[in-house]
Amino acid sequence: MTNIKILGVVIGTISIYTWIANAIPQLESVVPEELSFSSDVSEAELVAAGAELYNGGAGCTTCHGLETRAPNLLTGYNGEGTIGTRCGTRVPGQDCKAYLHESMMNPMAYVVEGGFDPMVFQARVFSGAQIWALVAFLQDQGGVVTVTGADVAAAAEADATAPAGGPAVASTDPLEIMRGNLCLACHMLDGEGAELAPPFDGMGSRIDADRIRRGIIDPGAEIAEGFDHLAGSMPPTIPDLLTARQLEVLVDFLARQGG
């Protein structure tokens, strides 16, 4: 009888820990879900979709949540309040909606003072509807949402008639490829770049070419030791911005760094 009781306790304990393990959210690298809205989409739907993108697949919090690489948009910056309260005062004559949209479509149009790194060109990664959802979410952070279904419908029409996407740059020079795709906004190479993600310096001495290739094609498959907190932050669409030749040029170049 005693053995049966012990066995019951063991099974019960294992069951509890299994349930807890399955209940813990897992970090994953996911492609942001495409949005399909009608022209009568509600403000609440846009904000909710934008919140999911901002906190998930878009990887926005990787930079905007650290306050060292980009201004914090949700908790205030330099005492100016959240992004929804300050976006309309950034550029004279430009309202909040126009400012936020241009900041994502053309990140170099206005860079906040403080030595922050340029943002990835979001138009390469997200659809027009996704970008407008992000704008709505950011406006909602202390401001008034002025994004409408008409904005989303116009963006969807533009996406439908736009030519098929291609590589971000035409070059096969590894440095030009990395700069053109803003890889050095997170990775460091020979004194250039940022120390947010694993450095390109010495990469070939740490992992082989196959592992490097997998890391580019499927960023969430294997996370470098010590960088678990960045899981899901590398845009999963990077392979779509490279030709097959450019991919192999990068793999070969990185495999020779310290290898």
Side-chain angles (χ1 to χ4, degrees):
M1 182 65 69
T2 300
N3 290 338
I4 293 177
K5 289 182 178 179
I6 293 174
L7 180 61
V9 171
V10 171
I11 293 175
T13 302
I14 292 174
S15 299
I16 291 173
Y17 278 102
T18 300
W19 178 84
I20 292 174
N22 290 331
I24 297 174
Q26 303 298 307
L27 288 171
E28 298 180 0
S29 177
V30 295
V31 177
E33 182 180 353
E34 182 53 78
L35 303 179
S36 179
F37 289 132
S38 62
S39 59
D40 61 351
V41 60
S42 70
E43 174 185 315
E45 289 175 315
L46 283 171
V47 171
E52 185 173 351
L53 281 168
Y54 186 90
N55 294 299
C60 304
T61 55
T62 301
C63 294
H64 288 287
L66 299 178
E67 297 190 28
T68 55
R69 294 180 46 75
N72 194 311
L73 303 180
L74 308 186
T75 62
Y77 172 69
N78 276 353
E80 299 176 4
T82 54
I83 186 62
T85 64
R86 65 180 192 262
C87 53
T89 62
R90 287 299 189 193
V91 180
Q94 192 173 54
D95 64 20
C96 176
K97 181 170 79 170
Y99 167 75
L100 290 174
H101 189 260
E102 184 176 11
S103 293
M104 284 185 265
M105 298 297 288
N106 181 18
M108 297 305 296
Y110 181 78
V111 179
V112 177
E113 294 181 2
F116 294 116
D117 298 305
M119 186 171 68
V120 173
F121 285 78
Q122 301 302 310
R124 295 180 185 170
V125 182
F126 303 114
S127 69
Q130 289 171 324
I131 289 176
W132 278 122
L134 282 168
V135 171
F137 168 70
L138 294 175
Q139 283 189 307
D140 192 53
Q141 307 308 303
V144 177
V145 178
T146 58
V147 178
T148 66
D151 296 316
V152 176
E157 183 177 351
D159 286 345
T161 58
V169 294
S171 176
T172 54
D173 177 271
L175 287 177
E176 291 185 11
I177 295 172
M178 286 188 283
R179 288 168 181 151
N181 286 282
L182 297 184
C183 302
L184 300 180
C186 293
H187 300 272
M188 179 70 74
L189 176 66
D190 195 23
E192 179 181 354
E195 297 179 334
L196 177 66
F200 288 155
D201 294 311
M203 181 165 282
S205 64
R206 302 192 301 272
I207 56 178
D208 61 22
D210 287 340
R211 172 66 183 83
I212 293 172
R213 186 179 295 103
R214 288 198 305 274
I216 298 174
I217 295 175
D218 185 6
E222 299 176 60
I223 307 300
E225 184 177 353
F227 292 90
D228 292 346
H229 61 293
L230 295 179
S233 61
M234 179 173 166
T237 51
I238 287 294
D240 298 331
L241 305 178
L242 302 171
T243 65
R245 174 61 179 159
Q246 287 175 328
L247 172 62
E248 293 309 313
V249 165
L250 282 180
V251 170
D252 178 69
F253 176 81
L254 294 173
R256 288 187 285 107
Q257 301 307 303

